[in-house]
Amino acid sequence: SIKQMASSYMRNSMAAAGSSSAAFFSGVPLIDLSAPDAKHLIVKACEELGFFKVVNHGVPMEFISTLESESTKFFSLPLSEKQRAGPPSPFGYGNKQIGRNGDVGWVEYLLLNTHLESKSDGFLSIFGQDPQKLRSAVNDYISAVRNMACEILELMAEGLKIQQRNAFSKLLMDEESDSVFRVNHYPPCPELHALKGTNMIGFGEHTDPQIISVLRSNNTSGLQISLADGNWISVPPDQSSFFINVGDSLQVMTNGRFKSVKHRVLTNRLKSRVSMIYFGGPPLSEKIAPLPSLMKGEESLYKEFTWFEYKRSAYNSRLADNRLVHFERI
Ligand code: GA4
């Protein structure tokens, strides 16, 4: 029965994120990438919230809509066919289970390698009749979004008055960059909503471990971010813009000046949500440490570690854990 279903979801920590009537937040910083003051507004948004919305981003709408429709096609395949593209570790199709440590959500997804020449993603061939079409859709999208992410990182460096304009962006441009691409599908979930008056957790609260994340979703709501006071606010969806969040690694590289934002996704009662996220990460061997020019006599808040060490620790954690505490200096 629905009641049993609901209690089983509750036990699995997928359900009930409080009232679903949380008002939309009108305070998401809006950055026009073509505006002359963009760099200062970006720095301010990263310090205050770790989250902002970008317009005039230069990513062709056609790349976005092609990838969205190819992804939708994939997610509408029978489960048995999709599962041929699994499991999602390190890359492939995943359903409800997130990570390896017991986290679950009302979501199915694809985790993809961003190395465009890579041979390790043969699962892409089951995407459709014409795998080449999907292949090039993914490639076009990722390279356009990576370029935009790098432009944003360069504006950040300028806004922070760092001499080396590519101090952050070079890590994403590196051939060895350990970046990930993810497409999430959150099916609608009317029954439980009707029963409990609450929304299901689509993707539980967490911060992203990488440097920067670039998210685009269809027009279905669901994304929430956590404010400094601990309150959750709903981000109004906007399918023609991108949402950017600061990752843990960028928080460390700015010695805590930028905040990695805690966020989550609630499922929608009626509509499915599709989101695509590019997670820009450094090479595995890269030392993650505050940039010297940002320290101005202050000490590092963090112990020294490589991205490999941080990633290993992150992948052994639960989604909601605070992953940076293990690397803080006491
Ligand atoms: C969160 C950001 C990215 O989606 C991700 C996620 C990863 C996964 O889905 O496998 C993790 C999660 C994310 C952080 C903690 C660990 C690892 C699930 C999880 C419980 C791909 C990433 O890099 O870290």
Side-chain angles (χ1 to χ4, degrees), residues 98-99 103 111 182 206 208-210 279 314-315 317-319 323:
I98 298 169
D103 289 290
L111 276 177
R182 168 169 217 138
H206 66 284
D208 294 340
Q210 292 82 2
F279 302 94
Y315 277 72
S317 68
R318 293 292 298 260
L319 202 51
R323 283 173 275 282

Side-chain angles (χ1 to χ4, degrees), residues 48-49 226-231:
E48 291 174 358
L49 207 56
S226 158
L227 301 180
D229 63 9
N231 278 322

Side-chain angles (χ1 to χ4, degrees), residues 62-110:
E62 193 206 322
F63 290 0
I64 299 171
S65 48
T66 305
L67 187 53
E68 184 182 334
S69 63
E70 289 298 311
S71 305
T72 303
K73 249 194 255 169
F74 173 79
F75 289 122
S76 56
L77 291 172
L79 183 61
S80 58
E81 262 183 71
K82 292 185 281 194
Q83 275 166 339
R84 283 168 43 205
S89 44
F91 300 113
Y93 173 76
N95 192 320
K96 294 189 185 73
Q97 290 173 356
I98 298 169
R100 305 172 296 188
N101 306 310
D103 289 290
V104 287
W106 191 251
V107 63
E108 57 176 341
Y109 58 91
L110 281 164

Side-chain angles (χ1 to χ4, degrees), residues 98-319:
I98 298 169
R100 305 172 296 188
N101 306 310
D103 289 290
V104 287
W106 191 251
V107 63
E108 57 176 341
Y109 58 91
L110 281 164
L111 276 177
L112 312 187
N113 192 338
T114 60
H115 293 284
L116 311 178
E117 316 315 330
S118 156
K119 294 186 183 71
S120 62
D121 56 358
F123 65 90
L124 282 181
S125 59
I126 72 137
F127 246 101
Q129 306 298 50
D130 185 3
Q132 264 333 105
K133 195 172 148 206
L134 178 85
R135 189 68 174 112
S136 57
V138 170
N139 288 1
D140 288 349
Y141 182 88
I142 290 180
S143 42
V145 164
R146 185 207 287 117
N147 287 342
M148 180 199 30
C150 286
E151 189 185 331
I152 291 169
L153 291 172
E154 288 171 14
L155 289 168
M156 267 177 205
E158 279 182 26
L160 288 168
K161 304 199 168 59
I162 296 167
Q163 289 285 335
Q164 206 189 358
R165 193 173 186 263
N166 67 351
F168 303 123
S169 64
K170 67 176 185 201
L171 303 172
L172 273 56
M173 292 315 285
D174 196 301
E175 264 180 55
E176 304 280 296
S177 152
D178 184 37
S179 298
V180 193
F181 183 61
R182 168 169 217 138
V183 187
N184 290 323
H185 172 227
Y186 301 94
C189 193
E191 292 89 353
L192 196 74
H193 188 279
L195 184 75
K196 292 275 173 188
T198 55
N199 281 3
M200 295 278 285
I201 296 282
F203 208 110
E205 62 175 90
H206 66 284
T207 62
D208 294 340
Q210 292 82 2
I211 297 171
I212 191 171
S213 314
V214 182
L215 174 141
R216 186 271 173 187
S217 80
N218 66 353
N219 246 346
T220 303
S221 64
L223 179 63
Q224 297 192 321
I225 58 173
S226 158
L227 301 180
D229 63 9
N231 278 322
W232 287 102
I233 50 143
S234 295
V235 177
D238 179 348
Q239 58 185 348
S240 55
S241 303
F242 284 92
F243 292 93
I244 308 294
N245 54 267
V246 170
D248 296 340
S249 299
L250 189 56
Q251 177 171 326
V252 173
M253 295 176 83
T254 58
N255 207 23
R257 195 164 150 187
F258 287 3
K259 301 284 179 278
S260 70
V261 65
K262 209 196 276 174
H263 56 286
R264 68 181 182 186
V265 176
L266 304 186
T267 57
N268 194 281
R269 194 159 62 90
L270 301 170
K271 289 158 63 193
S272 56
R273 175 179 163 92
V274 177
S275 61
M276 349 200 223
I277 310 118
Y278 170 81
F279 302 94
L284 286 170
S285 61
E286 187 72 23
K287 281 218 168 72
I288 308 299
L291 295 183
S293 69
L294 294 180
M295 304 266 278
K296 294 175 196 133
E298 52 189 82
E299 305 216 334
S300 174
L301 298 174
Y302 306 96
K303 301 171 191 162
E304 265 205 12
F305 58 91
T306 62
W307 168 241
F308 175 83
E309 291 165 322
Y310 192 65
K311 189 180 174 183
R312 186 179 51 193
S313 152
Y315 277 72
N316 283 321
S317 68
R318 293 292 298 260
L319 202 51

